[in-house]
Amino acid sequence: MKSSVLGAVLAIGMANLAQAEFQLSLYSGLQSAPDGNVDGTTGDDTFDFDVEWNGNSTEVPPYFGFRLTWWQSERLGYGIELNHAKVAASDSTLRNSGFSDLEFTDGLNLLTVNGFHRWSQENRRWDPYIGGGVGLAIPRVDVEIGANDTFDYQITGPAVVFMAGATYELDESWSVFGEYKGSYSSNTADLEDGGELETDVITNAVNVGLTFNF
């Protein structure tokens, strides 16, 4: 009896897996970030100032992202994503603050678990969708002020992402998409001298990408 029940459960699971649609997507685009605030401590000193962020989305390494999505039905899906967003303080911010470097240009590196809803119809090649996700910011912290020089990867705090766009089917295996993508991350970075730096970063991006369906 137990073996029969287990067999039935496995059969249903395999059938659902066979009907599921998996997608692997790669995208790039133009990304910016509105001005924000930076505060923290270094040594015996404290700092608190407004920061003008540059997105630097076309500089090496460029802005990009990977996304793996599992569509469990025609409308609902979920997956994981790594978004290599990036920000760097402007030259005027550096001059006014006394910092030599203040950037996450090797990536804010937002790793998130996402959910999606799409509006698909038979005999139509394009599908609009919306999505959102939660996860962690894992940036390379590049901060230099005086003798303090921090340059390493850290888990700096929580992140949320949201997106809206549309896909266009090229054939059974390939499709292209365009979307707006936004993110918010709350970052607390440890500095080399035992101090820390806190900043909340918002990004806005227009993405274009290619998806492989399997």
Side-chain angles (χ1 to χ4, degrees):
M1 181 65 178
K2 289 183 178 180
S3 61
S4 298
V5 172
L6 179 60
V9 171
L10 289 175
I12 294 172
M14 293 300 293
N16 289 337
L17 187 60
Q19 294 174 0
E21 177 188 353
F22 290 90
Q23 295 181 334
L24 179 62
S25 303
L26 170 65
Y27 61 84
S28 186
L30 297 176
Q31 174 247 308
S32 63
D35 298 348
N37 179 263
V38 170
D39 64 78
T41 61
T42 176
D44 296 326
D45 298 324
T46 62
F47 52 87
D48 187 343
F49 57 90
D50 293 333
V51 56
E52 180 184 30
W53 292 120
N54 294 325
N56 293 347
S57 54
T58 60
E59 295 185 6
V60 178
Y63 166 84
F64 67 89
F66 294 98
R67 182 181 297 160
L68 178 64
T69 307
W70 178 15
W71 292 98
Q72 293 190 298
S73 69
E74 285 297 316
R75 293 186 179 272
L76 298 177
Y78 65 86
I80 59 174
E81 179 176 3
L82 176 63
N83 179 222
H84 181 83
K86 47 197 285 183
V87 291
S90 67
D91 290 342
S92 61
T93 297
L94 295 178
R95 286 194 302 269
N96 294 334
S97 65
F99 279 64
S100 301
D101 283 309
L102 174 54
E103 57 186 65
F104 305 119
T105 47
D106 279 340
L108 277 171
N109 301 321
L110 307 179
L111 182 63
T112 58
V113 176
N114 299 338
F116 293 94
H117 185 282
R118 66 183 176 183
W119 290 266
S120 60
Q121 294 183 10
E122 291 187 12
N123 303 318
R124 188 178 72 181
R125 285 182 172 270
W126 61 275
D127 294 328
Y129 63 88
I130 58 173
V134 296
L136 296 171
I138 315 173
R140 171 169 271 183
V141 179
D142 186 357
V143 174
E144 184 178 357
I145 176 173
N148 186 310
D149 188 1
T150 304
F151 188 66
D152 58 5
Y153 286 101
Q154 301 181 27
I155 298 176
T156 55
V160 297
V161 297
F162 42 94
M163 64 286 289
T167 64
Y168 183 83
E169 182 182 288
L170 301 176
D171 55 34
E172 290 185 356
S173 297
W174 296 96
S175 59
V176 294
F177 65 94
E179 67 180 20
Y180 162 79
K181 180 180 178 64
S183 76
Y184 167 83
S185 59
S186 181
N187 302 275
T188 300
D190 296 326
L191 302 182
E192 285 297 321
D193 64 354
E196 67 177 22
L197 178 146
E198 296 184 9
T199 184
D200 295 339
V201 178
I202 297 171
T203 68
N204 298 289
V206 177
N207 300 330
V208 292
L210 181 67
T211 294
F212 177 65
N213 305 279
F214 60 97

